[in-house]
Amino acid sequence: FDHRQKYQSSTFSGHVRHAWVHIGMREPDKAEVLCTQVLKRLPTHSPCLTLMGRVMLARGLETKARALARTAIDGDPNYPDAYPLLAELLERQGTELLARGDFEGAHGSYRRVLLLDIASEERRLPRRVVSDMHFSMGVVMQAAGMPSDALRSFDMAIAADPL
């Protein structure tokens, strides 16, 4: 097995394509079987790590899903599909923290989403996601009694995605 081939093997590509189909059909168990086969041979396979993150999300295991998405990004910062998954998971975490009144924790989760986009060489997140995070940070700041910071976040939300 040549590790330099990374994602190019037709077997790996086929497994990934089929796993995505199973995710789309809400069959996470079948997707997990395919990804596990690939990860046994290549544990750092970012597409399968990302898919396994989707499997864990489908099962409600968001902490495991976040860890898998982070591992996929760390393993291959150029693999684009892991970024939106981690952003989605961090947004969910922030929303849960906000609902519990943990403004600082919510702000931190939303901020990590924005840092994901900034830290990558190419912008990895859709403008809508970046805009939503700025808006969510504005909501947190408003709730925390920081209206001028909230207004700045709302302005940044509009600037990130003006349409």
Side-chain angles (χ1 to χ4, degrees):
F1 178 70
D2 185 356
H3 289 283
R4 291 173 293 176
Q5 291 181 358
K6 272 198 152 181
Y7 316 131
Q8 305 309 317
S9 164
S10 62
T11 302
F12 287 176
S13 296
H15 279 44
V16 169
R17 276 193 311 276
H18 286 100
W20 273 115
V21 168
H22 289 301
I23 290 290
M25 295 174 62
R26 301 198 192 304
E27 298 173 337
D29 294 338
K30 292 179 181 179
E32 182 177 15
V33 168
L34 292 169
C35 287
T36 299
Q37 291 173 3
V38 173
L39 292 170
K40 282 181 182 176
R41 298 280 309 268
L42 187 59
T44 60
H45 192 268
S46 290
C48 280
L49 289 167
T50 302
L51 281 166
M52 289 294 284
R54 291 272 174 210
V55 168
M56 294 302 128
L57 177 58
R59 292 184 176 148
L61 303 171
E62 293 185 16
T63 302
K64 282 187 175 185
R66 273 194 306 275
L68 286 162
R70 184 79 252 170
T71 301
I73 290 169
D74 291 345
D76 184 357
N78 295 315
Y79 181 68
D81 291 345
Y83 289 87
L85 172 60
L86 186 55
E88 178 183 344
L89 291 161
L90 289 169
E91 180 182 14
R92 284 174 177 234
Q93 180 184 46
T95 301
E96 288 174 11
L97 292 168
L98 181 59
R100 292 195 305 243
D102 182 353
F103 302 132
E104 188 174 322
H107 181 272
S109 290
Y110 298 144
R111 185 172 183 271
R112 282 193 295 280
V113 172
L114 293 172
L115 290 175
L116 266 181
D117 195 52
I118 292 169
S120 63
E121 289 181 24
E122 300 172 20
R123 296 298 172 129
R124 299 288 185 195
L125 300 176
R127 295 296 90 205
R128 176 197 48 79
V129 172
V130 174
S131 177
D132 288 351
M133 289 306 97
H134 281 296
F135 182 82
S136 295
M137 288 179 73
V139 170
V140 168
M141 291 177 190
Q142 185 80 25
M146 302 164 55
S148 61
D149 291 328
L151 185 58
R152 189 173 0 185
S153 287
F154 294 139
D155 287 343
M156 291 175 77
I158 293 168
D161 191 12
L163 300 175

